[in-house]
Amino acid sequence: MQTLFTGRNIINLYEVDSTNAYAQNLVKTGTPAEGTVIIAEHQAQGRGQRGTAWQTEPGKNLTCSIILKPGFLAPRDTFMLNKMASLAVFDFLSYYPVADISVKWPNDVYVYGKKIAGILIENTWRESILAWSIVGIGININQTAFGEFDATSLKAATGNDYDIDDCLQQLCKCLEARYLQLRSDRNNIDREYKENLFGLGEKRRFMVNNREITGMIKGVNRAGELVLETGEMLLHCDLKEVVFLR
Ligand code: BTN
């Protein structure tokens, strides 16, 4: 592994409920090394954002959680982890290479307007210190059928098959590089996240608190809220309040 600490310790599982849940248990019951990775071929109860499920075909995709200790981040900067992880997945896809990648707020990754990866970050606080952060990442790699979901994969985008272990190595490199950048060069993480934000500056339809609106994405504020311009107004929306419409 060509990294300093990410993926130096890998827990390889055939089947688990959720790699995030497994990682949560590790940080509750011990002190795993920073950069420990839990990877599974199959998750019986993979978790997504907003309490949704993350279901993918066993053995075909990258399904992993990385344990970090970002005690250097102030509570009000926690969303920087979402930006950092989104850009790590962006870099991962750029390596293969894949074109037309964008990060969809808060932390999905899209290729040609279709979802290719999802990220679920779960934080553990000790008083006001961010003691642990579990960065759960699901990337569609060799799966090509998605049922009713408008999704894509590395294989669908490039026509090639990939070795999941090689993909994990590449992801660990990308994540570590962005995590180190987070310590020293936050401004560029902010800038690149915004530059690659899905729908930035486009007029789109959204449901905000169950009301349909047309608005333009202006960016994401420090608290991680999506900033939408509608007419003369700026709306600051959190994940529970807003749904993107087609
Ligand atoms: C989403 O798009 O809603 C986020 C999906 C996150 C899925 C990954 S797969 C590995 C890790 N373990 C989980 O249970 N979820 C994350």
Side-chain angles (χ1 to χ4, degrees):
M1 182 69 69
Q2 293 164 316
T3 53
L4 295 171
F5 55 91
T6 312
R8 292 251 150 199
N9 180 30
I10 297 182
I11 300 173
N12 226 309
L13 305 168
Y14 171 66
E15 183 170 340
V16 70
D17 50 356
S18 146
T19 56
N20 267 35
Y22 190 100
Q24 292 276 13
N25 200 37
L26 287 185
V27 305
K28 261 191 215 134
T29 55
T31 47
E34 181 163 43
T36 295
V37 170
I38 298 94
I39 177 164
E41 278 197 31
H42 178 46
Q43 293 189 119
Q45 288 172 285
R47 302 177 185 170
Q49 290 168 30
R50 308 181 203 229
T52 57
W54 181 259
Q55 287 167 329
T56 57
E57 272 181 51
K60 291 202 170 170
N61 302 300
L62 193 47
T63 306
C64 65
S65 300
I66 300 121
I67 299 177
L68 298 175
K69 297 175 81 169
F72 59 91
L73 273 182
R76 65 172 187 270
D77 290 325
T78 316
F79 192 76
M80 289 306 295
L81 287 170
N82 299 61
K83 293 186 178 177
M84 173 291 289
S86 305
L87 289 175
V89 174
F90 183 99
D91 297 343
F92 167 86
L93 294 166
S94 309
Y95 168 82
Y96 283 95
V98 174
D100 198 14
I101 311 166
S102 53
V103 291
K104 180 164 176 254
W105 175 84
N107 49 15
D108 287 340
V109 184
Y110 274 43
V111 166
Y112 287 113
K114 291 184 175 187
K115 182 160 169 169
I116 195 166
I119 300 170
L120 179 68
I121 299 183
E122 295 179 302
N123 294 321
T124 303
W125 298 86
R126 299 261 148 81
E127 300 186 351
S128 59
I129 305 290
L130 188 46
W132 301 102
S133 185
I134 292 163
V135 180
I137 302 181
I139 308 178
N140 299 330
I141 304 288
N142 294 320
Q143 183 170 336
T144 50
F146 298 97
E148 85 258 30
F149 296 104
D150 200 16
T152 189
S153 67
L154 202 48
K155 179 170 179 173
T158 66
N160 301 321
D161 274 294
Y162 297 88
D163 180 88
I164 302 294
D165 288 333
D166 291 347
C167 290
L168 178 64
Q169 298 226 0
Q170 187 56 32
L171 180 65
C172 287
K173 277 199 254 175
C174 295
L175 191 98
E176 184 167 291
R178 288 292 184 177
Y179 186 56
L180 294 175
Q181 188 185 14
L182 185 55
R183 287 174 171 271
S184 59
D185 179 22
R186 267 182 218 183
N187 290 347
N188 275 318
I189 294 198
D190 271 328
R191 182 185 53 77
E192 286 185 64
Y193 180 85
K194 185 170 179 186
E195 267 174 22
N196 293 297
L197 197 55
F198 178 83
L200 182 73
E202 288 168 21
K203 262 200 170 163
R204 303 185 68 91
R205 290 184 308 119
F206 301 90
M207 283 295 271
V208 177
N209 291 327
N210 298 322
R211 205 165 55 90
E212 193 176 323
I213 62 150
T214 301
M216 189 184 281
I217 298 179
K218 302 300 283 180
V220 174
N221 68 14
R222 190 168 186 173
E225 293 165 329
L226 187 70
V227 182
L228 292 179
E229 187 182 76
T230 70
E232 299 290 287
M233 271 189 10
L234 281 185
L235 295 179
H236 296 78
C237 313
D238 75 21
L239 187 57
K240 291 181 285 302
E241 292 169 331
V242 62
V243 177
F244 285 62
L245 300 175
R246 292 222 136 239

mmCIF file with all atom_site columns, all heavy atoms in Angstrom, residues 212-232:
data_model
loop_
_atom_site.group_PDB
_atom_site.id
_atom_site.type_symbol
_atom_site.label_atom_id
_atom_site.label_alt_id
_atom_site.label_comp_id
_atom_site.label_asym_id
_atom_site.label_entity_id
_atom_site.label_seq_id
_atom_site.pdbx_PDB_ins_code
_atom_site.Cartn_x
_atom_site.Cartn_y
_atom_site.Cartn_z
_atom_site.occupancy
_atom_site.B_iso_or_equiv
_atom_site.pdbx_formal_charge
_atom_site.auth_seq_id
_atom_site.auth_comp_id
_atom_site.auth_asym_id
_atom_site.auth_atom_id
_atom_site.pdbx_PDB_model_num
ATOM 1   N N   . GLU A 1 212 ? -42.483 23.073 -4.002  1.00 0.00 ? 212 GLU A N   1
ATOM 2   C CA  . GLU A 1 212 ? -41.642 23.049 -5.191  1.00 0.00 ? 212 GLU A CA  1
ATOM 3   C C   . GLU A 1 212 ? -41.172 24.473 -5.521  1.00 0.00 ? 212 GLU A C   1
ATOM 4   O O   . GLU A 1 212 ? -41.986 25.398 -5.567  1.00 0.00 ? 212 GLU A O   1
ATOM 5   C CB  . GLU A 1 212 ? -42.429 22.463 -6.368  1.00 0.00 ? 212 GLU A CB  1
ATOM 6   C CG  . GLU A 1 212 ? -41.507 22.141 -7.518  1.00 0.00 ? 212 GLU A CG  1
ATOM 7   C CD  . GLU A 1 212 ? -42.222 21.474 -8.677  1.00 0.00 ? 212 GLU A CD  1
ATOM 8   O OE1 . GLU A 1 212 ? -43.138 20.654 -8.447  1.00 0.00 ? 212 GLU A OE1 1
ATOM 9   O OE2 . GLU A 1 212 ? -41.845 21.776 -9.824  1.00 0.00 ? 212 GLU A OE2 1
ATOM 10  N N   . ILE A 1 213 ? -39.868 24.610 -5.762  1.00 0.00 ? 213 ILE A N   1
ATOM 11  C CA  . ILE A 1 213 ? -39.348 25.937 -6.120  1.00 0.00 ? 213 ILE A CA  1
ATOM 12  C C   . ILE A 1 213 ? -38.386 25.787 -7.297  1.00 0.00 ? 213 ILE A C   1
ATOM 13  O O   . ILE A 1 213 ? -37.874 24.707 -7.576  1.00 0.00 ? 213 ILE A O   1
ATOM 14  C CB  . ILE A 1 213 ? -38.582 26.614 -4.960  1.00 0.00 ? 213 ILE A CB  1
ATOM 15  C CG1 . ILE A 1 213 ? -37.352 25.774 -4.563  1.00 0.00 ? 213 ILE A CG1 1
ATOM 16  C CG2 . ILE A 1 213 ? -39.455 26.887 -3.758  1.00 0.00 ? 213 ILE A CG2 1
ATOM 17  C CD1 . ILE A 1 213 ? -36.219 26.611 -4.031  1.00 0.00 ? 213 ILE A CD1 1
ATOM 18  N N   . THR A 1 214 ? -38.143 26.894 -7.990  1.00 0.00 ? 214 THR A N   1
ATOM 19  C CA  . THR A 1 214 ? -37.080 26.928 -8.990  1.00 0.00 ? 214 THR A CA  1
ATOM 20  C C   . THR A 1 214 ? -35.985 27.803 -8.399  1.00 0.00 ? 214 THR A C   1
ATOM 21  O O   . THR A 1 214 ? -36.264 28.881 -7.860  1.00 0.00 ? 214 THR A O   1
ATOM 22  C CB  . THR A 1 214 ? -37.586 27.541 -10.308 1.00 0.00 ? 214 THR A CB  1
ATOM 23  O OG1 . THR A 1 214 ? -38.678 26.740 -10.741 1.00 0.00 ? 214 THR A OG1 1
ATOM 24  C CG2 . THR A 1 214 ? -36.504 27.527 -11.383 1.00 0.00 ? 214 THR A CG2 1
ATOM 25  N N   . GLY A 1 215 ? -34.773 27.316 -8.451  1.00 0.00 ? 215 GLY A N   1
ATOM 26  C CA  . GLY A 1 215 ? -33.688 28.083 -7.849  1.00 0.00 ? 215 GLY A CA  1
ATOM 27  C C   . GLY A 1 215 ? -32.371 27.776 -8.518  1.00 0.00 ? 215 GLY A C   1
ATOM 28  O O   . GLY A 1 215 ? -32.277 26.896 -9.381  1.00 0.00 ? 215 GLY A O   1
ATOM 29  N N   . MET A 1 216 ? -31.385 28.549 -8.105  1.00 0.00 ? 216 MET A N   1
ATOM 30  C CA  . MET A 1 216 ? -30.047 28.358 -8.675  1.00 0.00 ? 216 MET A CA  1
ATOM 31  C C   . MET A 1 216 ? -29.074 28.076 -7.524  1.00 0.00 ? 216 MET A C   1
ATOM 32  O O   . MET A 1 216 ? -29.068 28.804 -6.524  1.00 0.00 ? 216 MET A O   1
ATOM 33  C CB  . MET A 1 216 ? -29.639 29.637 -9.405  1.00 0.00 ? 216 MET A CB  1
ATOM 34  C CG  . MET A 1 216 ? -28.375 29.474 -10.196 1.00 0.00 ? 216 MET A CG  1
ATOM 35  S SD  . MET A 1 216 ? -27.907 31.043 -10.916 1.00 0.00 ? 216 MET A SD  1
ATOM 36  C CE  . MET A 1 216 ? -29.008 31.113 -12.296 1.00 0.00 ? 216 MET A CE  1
ATOM 37  N N   . ILE A 1 217 ? -28.277 27.016 -7.679  1.00 0.00 ? 217 ILE A N   1
ATOM 38  C CA  . ILE A 1 217 ? -27.307 26.690 -6.626  1.00 0.00 ? 217 ILE A CA  1
ATOM 39  C C   . ILE A 1 217 ? -26.187 27.715 -6.666  1.00 0.00 ? 217 ILE A C   1
ATOM 40  O O   . ILE A 1 217 ? -25.537 27.906 -7.705  1.00 0.00 ? 217 ILE A O   1
ATOM 41  C CB  . ILE A 1 217 ? -26.730 25.269 -6.821  1.00 0.00 ? 217 ILE A CB  1
ATOM 42  C CG1 . ILE A 1 217 ? -27.837 24.219 -6.723  1.00 0.00 ? 217 ILE A CG1 1
ATOM 43  C CG2 . ILE A 1 217 ? -25.640 24.986 -5.795  1.00 0.00 ? 217 ILE A CG2 1
ATOM 44  C CD1 . ILE A 1 217 ? -27.370 22.793 -6.921  1.00 0.00 ? 217 ILE A CD1 1
ATOM 45  N N   . LYS A 1 218 ? -25.978 28.384 -5.530  1.00 0.00 ? 218 LYS A N   1
ATOM 46  C CA  . LYS A 1 218 ? -24.902 29.374 -5.449  1.00 0.00 ? 218 LYS A CA  1
ATOM 47  C C   . LYS A 1 218 ? -23.659 28.795 -4.764  1.00 0.00 ? 218 LYS A C   1
ATOM 48  O O   . LYS A 1 218 ? -22.566 29.340 -4.883  1.00 0.00 ? 218 LYS A O   1
ATOM 49  C CB  . LYS A 1 218 ? -25.369 30.606 -4.642  1.00 0.00 ? 218 LYS A CB  1
ATOM 50  C CG  . LYS A 1 218 ? -26.587 31.297 -5.206  1.00 0.00 ? 218 LYS A CG  1
ATOM 51  C CD  . LYS A 1 218 ? -26.365 31.805 -6.612  1.00 0.00 ? 218 LYS A CD  1
ATOM 52  C CE  . LYS A 1 218 ? -25.548 33.086 -6.638  1.00 0.00 ? 218 LYS A CE  1
ATOM 53  N NZ  . LYS A 1 218 ? -25.355 33.559 -8.036  1.00 0.00 ? 218 LYS A NZ  1
ATOM 54  N N   . GLY A 1 219 ? -23.836 27.734 -4.016  1.00 0.00 ? 219 GLY A N   1
ATOM 55  C CA  . GLY A 1 219 ? -22.700 27.115 -3.318  1.00 0.00 ? 219 GLY A CA  1
ATOM 56  C C   . GLY A 1 219 ? -23.177 26.429 -2.061  1.00 0.00 ? 219 GLY A C   1
ATOM 57  O O   . GLY A 1 219 ? -24.377 26.146 -1.912  1.00 0.00 ? 219 GLY A O   1
ATOM 58  N N   . VAL A 1 220 ? -22.223 26.162 -1.165  1.00 0.00 ? 220 VAL A N   1
ATOM 59  C CA  . VAL A 1 220 ? -22.503 25.473 0.090   1.00 0.00 ? 220 VAL A CA  1
ATOM 60  C C   . VAL A 1 220 ? -21.844 26.306 1.184   1.00 0.00 ? 220 VAL A C   1
ATOM 61  O O   . VAL A 1 220 ? -20.676 26.689 1.034   1.00 0.00 ? 220 VAL A O   1
ATOM 62  C CB  . VAL A 1 220 ? -21.919 24.038 0.040   1.00 0.00 ? 220 VAL A CB  1
ATOM 63  C CG1 . VAL A 1 220 ? -22.064 23.341 1.376   1.00 0.00 ? 220 VAL A CG1 1
ATOM 64  C CG2 . VAL A 1 220 ? -22.593 23.214 -1.055  1.00 0.00 ? 220 VAL A CG2 1
ATOM 65  N N   . ASN A 1 221 ? -22.577 26.617 2.256   1.00 0.00 ? 221 ASN A N   1
ATOM 66  C CA  . ASN A 1 221 ? -21.968 27.472 3.286   1.00 0.00 ? 221 ASN A CA  1
ATOM 67  C C   . ASN A 1 221 ? -21.120 26.658 4.273   1.00 0.00 ? 221 ASN A C   1
ATOM 68  O O   . ASN A 1 221 ? -21.043 25.438 4.173   1.00 0.00 ? 221 ASN A O   1
ATOM 69  C CB  . ASN A 1 221 ? -23.038 28.342 3.967   1.00 0.00 ? 221 ASN A CB  1
ATOM 70  C CG  . ASN A 1 221 ? -23.993 27.508 4.804   1.00 0.00 ? 221 ASN A CG  1
ATOM 71  O OD1 . ASN A 1 221 ? -23.729 26.346 5.095   1.00 0.00 ? 221 ASN A OD1 1
ATOM 72  N ND2 . ASN A 1 221 ? -25.104 28.107 5.177   1.00 0.00 ? 221 ASN A ND2 1
ATOM 73  N N   . ARG A 1 222 ? -20.515 27.363 5.221   1.00 0.00 ? 222 ARG A N   1
ATOM 74  C CA  . ARG A 1 222 ? -19.593 26.698 6.144   1.00 0.00 ? 222 ARG A CA  1
ATOM 75  C C   . ARG A 1 222 ? -20.255 25.574 6.947   1.00 0.00 ? 222 ARG A C   1
ATOM 76  O O   . ARG A 1 222 ? -19.628 24.558 7.268   1.00 0.00 ? 222 ARG A O   1
ATOM 77  C CB  . ARG A 1 222 ? -19.028 27.757 7.098   1.00 0.00 ? 222 ARG A CB  1
ATOM 78  C CG  . ARG A 1 222 ? -17.898 27.247 7.943   1.00 0.00 ? 222 ARG A CG  1
ATOM 79  C CD  . ARG A 1 222 ? -17.220 28.397 8.636   1.00 0.00 ? 222 ARG A CD  1
ATOM 80  N NE  . ARG A 1 222 ? -16.043 27.953 9.336   1.00 0.00 ? 222 ARG A NE  1
ATOM 81  C CZ  . ARG A 1 222 ? -15.185 28.784 9.912   1.00 0.00 ? 222 ARG A CZ  1
ATOM 82  N NH1 . ARG A 1 222 ? -15.362 30.094 9.855   1.00 0.00 ? 222 ARG A NH1 1
ATOM 83  N NH2 . ARG A 1 222 ? -14.133 28.300 10.529  1.00 0.00 ? 222 ARG A NH2 1
ATOM 84  N N   . ALA A 1 223 ? -21.554 25.758 7.228   1.00 0.00 ? 223 ALA A N   1
ATOM 85  C CA  . ALA A 1 223 ? -22.284 24.743 7.988   1.00 0.00 ? 223 ALA A CA  1
ATOM 86  C C   . ALA A 1 223 ? -22.658 23.538 7.116   1.00 0.00 ? 223 ALA A C   1
ATOM 87  O O   . ALA A 1 223 ? -23.233 22.567 7.602   1.00 0.00 ? 223 ALA A O   1
ATOM 88  C CB  . ALA A 1 223 ? -23.538 25.362 8.576   1.00 0.00 ? 223 ALA A CB  1
ATOM 89  N N   . GLY A 1 224 ? -22.354 23.624 5.826   1.00 0.00 ? 224 GLY A N   1
ATOM 90  C CA  . GLY A 1 224 ? -22.669 22.509 4.935   1.00 0.00 ? 224 GLY A CA  1
ATOM 91  C C   . GLY A 1 224 ? -24.055 22.618 4.343   1.00 0.00 ? 224 GLY A C   1
ATOM 92  O O   . GLY A 1 224 ? -24.564 21.655 3.751   1.00 0.00 ? 224 GLY A O   1
ATOM 93  N N   . GLU A 1 225 ? -24.699 23.775 4.498   1.00 0.00 ? 225 GLU A N   1
ATOM 94  C CA  . GLU A 1 225 ? -26.047 23.950 3.915   1.00 0.00 ? 225 GLU A CA  1
ATOM 95  C C   . GLU A 1 225 ? -25.924 24.371 2.453   1.00 0.00 ? 225 GLU A C   1
ATOM 96  O O   . GLU A 1 225 ? -25.037 25.154 2.085   1.00 0.00 ? 225 GLU A O   1
ATOM 97  C CB  . GLU A 1 225 ? -26.817 25.032 4.669   1.00 0.00 ? 225 GLU A CB  1
ATOM 98  C CG  . GLU A 1 225 ? -27.141 24.645 6.093   1.00 0.00 ? 225 GLU A CG  1
ATOM 99  C CD  . GLU A 1 225 ? -27.579 25.850 6.916   1.00 0.00 ? 225 GLU A CD  1
ATOM 100 O OE1 . GLU A 1 225 ? -27.127 26.981 6.652   1.00 0.00 ? 225 GLU A OE1 1
ATOM 101 O OE2 . GLU A 1 225 ? -28.364 25.642 7.841   1.00 0.00 ? 225 GLU A OE2 1
ATOM 102 N N   . LEU A 1 226 ? -26.876 23.857 1.646   1.00 0.00 ? 226 LEU A N   1
ATOM 103 C CA  . LEU A 1 226 ? -26.920 24.232 0.231   1.00 0.00 ? 226 LEU A CA  1
ATOM 104 C C   . LEU A 1 226 ? -27.516 25.639 0.130   1.00 0.00 ? 226 LEU A C   1
ATOM 105 O O   . LEU A 1 226 ? -28.562 25.913 0.719   1.00 0.00 ? 226 LEU A O   1
ATOM 106 C CB  . LEU A 1 226 ? -27.792 23.230 -0.530  1.00 0.00 ? 226 LEU A CB  1
ATOM 107 C CG  . LEU A 1 226 ? -27.819 23.371 -2.044  1.00 0.00 ? 226 LEU A CG  1
ATOM 108 C CD1 . LEU A 1 226 ? -26.485 22.971 -2.657  1.00 0.00 ? 226 LEU A CD1 1
ATOM 109 C CD2 . LEU A 1 226 ? -28.921 22.491 -2.642  1.00 0.00 ? 226 LEU A CD2 1
ATOM 110 N N   . VAL A 1 227 ? -26.831 26.509 -0.611  1.00 0.00 ? 227 VAL A N   1
ATOM 111 C CA  . VAL A 1 227 ? -27.326 27.882 -0.746  1.00 0.00 ? 227 VAL A CA  1
ATOM 112 C C   . VAL A 1 227 ? -28.001 28.011 -2.112  1.00 0.00 ? 227 VAL A C   1
ATOM 113 O O   . VAL A 1 227 ? -27.371 27.817 -3.158  1.00 0.00 ? 227 VAL A O   1
ATOM 114 C CB  . VAL A 1 227 ? -26.174 28.903 -0.604  1.00 0.00 ? 227 VAL A CB  1
ATOM 115 C CG1 . VAL A 1 227 ? -26.721 30.329 -0.711  1.00 0.00 ? 227 VAL A CG1 1
ATOM 116 C CG2 . VAL A 1 227 ? -25.446 28.709 0.732   1.00 0.00 ? 227 VAL A CG2 1
ATOM 117 N N   . LEU A 1 228 ? -29.318 28.293 -2.076  1.00 0.00 ? 228 LEU A N   1
ATOM 118 C CA  . LEU A 1 228 ? -30.115 28.399 -3.304  1.00 0.00 ? 228 LEU A CA  1
ATOM 119 C C   . LEU A 1 228 ? -30.598 29.827 -3.473  1.00 0.00 ? 228 LEU A C   1
ATOM 120 O O   . LEU A 1 228 ? -31.096 30.428 -2.507  1.00 0.00 ? 228 LEU A O   1
ATOM 121 C CB  . LEU A 1 228 ? -31.357 27.505 -3.206  1.00 0.00 ? 228 LEU A CB  1
ATOM 122 C CG  . LEU A 1 228 ? -31.162 26.004 -3.197  1.00 0.00 ? 228 LEU A CG  1
ATOM 123 C CD1 . LEU A 1 228 ? -32.518 25.321 -3.076  1.00 0.00 ? 228 LEU A CD1 1
ATOM 124 C CD2 . LEU A 1 228 ? -30.466 25.557 -4.479  1.00 0.00 ? 228 LEU A CD2 1
ATOM 125 N N   . GLU A 1 229 ? -30.495 30.344 -4.682  1.00 0.00 ? 229 GLU A N   1
ATOM 126 C CA  . GLU A 1 229 ? -31.034 31.679 -4.960  1.00 0.00 ? 229 GLU A CA  1
ATOM 127 C C   . GLU A 1 229 ? -32.386 31.513 -5.641  1.00 0.00 ? 229 GLU A C   1
ATOM 128 O O   . GLU A 1 229 ? -32.483 30.830 -6.660  1.00 0.00 ? 229 GLU A O   1
ATOM 129 C CB  . GLU A 1 229 ? -30.076 32.423 -5.880  1.00 0.00 ? 229 GLU A CB  1
ATOM 130 C CG  . GLU A 1 229 ? -30.448 33.866 -6.105  1.00 0.00 ? 229 GLU A CG  1
ATOM 131 C CD  . GLU A 1 229 ? -29.474 34.516 -7.078  1.00 0.00 ? 229 GLU A CD  1
ATOM 132 O OE1 . GLU A 1 229 ? -29.600 34.245 -8.294  1.00 0.00 ? 229 GLU A OE1 1
ATOM 133 O OE2 . GLU A 1 229 ? -28.581 35.243 -6.622  1.00 0.00 ? 229 GLU A OE2 1
ATOM 134 N N   . THR A 1 230 ? -33.408 32.101 -5.074  1.00 0.00 ? 230 THR A N   1
ATOM 135 C CA  . THR A 1 230 ? -34.729 32.085 -5.724  1.00 0.00 ? 230 THR A CA  1
ATOM 136 C C   . THR A 1 230 ? -35.210 33.523 -5.760  1.00 0.00 ? 230 THR A C   1
ATOM 137 O O   . THR A 1 230 ? -35.422 34.118 -4.706  1.00 0.00 ? 230 THR A O   1
ATOM 138 C CB  . THR A 1 230 ? -35.761 31.226 -4.955  1.00 0.00 ? 230 THR A CB  1
ATOM 139 O OG1 . THR A 1 230 ? -36.076 31.870 -3.756  1.00 0.00 ? 230 THR A OG1 1
ATOM 140 C CG2 . THR A 1 230 ? -35.280 29.837 -4.682  1.00 0.00 ? 230 THR A CG2 1
ATOM 141 N N   . GLY A 1 231 ? -35.340 34.052 -6.942  1.00 0.00 ? 231 GLY A N   1
ATOM 142 C CA  . GLY A 1 231 ? -35.723 35.461 -7.058  1.00 0.00 ? 231 GLY A CA  1
ATOM 143 C C   . GLY A 1 231 ? -34.704 36.320 -6.335  1.00 0.00 ? 231 GLY A C   1
ATOM 144 O O   . GLY A 1 231 ? -33.510 36.237 -6.586  1.00 0.00 ? 231 GLY A O   1
ATOM 145 N N   . GLU A 1 232 ? -35.199 37.074 -5.373  1.00 0.00 ? 232 GLU A N   1
ATOM 146 C CA  . GLU A 1 232 ? -34.316 37.990 -4.628  1.00 0.00 ? 232 GLU A CA  1
ATOM 147 C C   . GLU A 1 232 ? -33.727 37.320 -3.388  1.00 0.00 ? 232 GLU A C   1
ATOM 148 O O   . GLU A 1 232 ? -32.901 37.905 -2.707  1.00 0.00 ? 232 GLU A O   1
ATOM 149 C CB  . GLU A 1 232 ? -35.131 39.217 -4.152  1.00 0.00 ? 232 GLU A CB  1
ATOM 150 C CG  . GLU A 1 232 ? -35.739 40.036 -5.255  1.00 0.00 ? 232 GLU A CG  1
ATOM 151 C CD  . GLU A 1 232 ? -34.685 40.795 -6.038  1.00 0.00 ? 232 GLU A CD  1
ATOM 152 O OE1 . GLU A 1 232 ? -34.159 41.767 -5.500  1.00 0.00 ? 232 GLU A OE1 1
ATOM 153 O OE2 . GLU A 1 232 ? -34.385 40.393 -7.182  1.00 0.00 ? 232 GLU A OE2 1
#
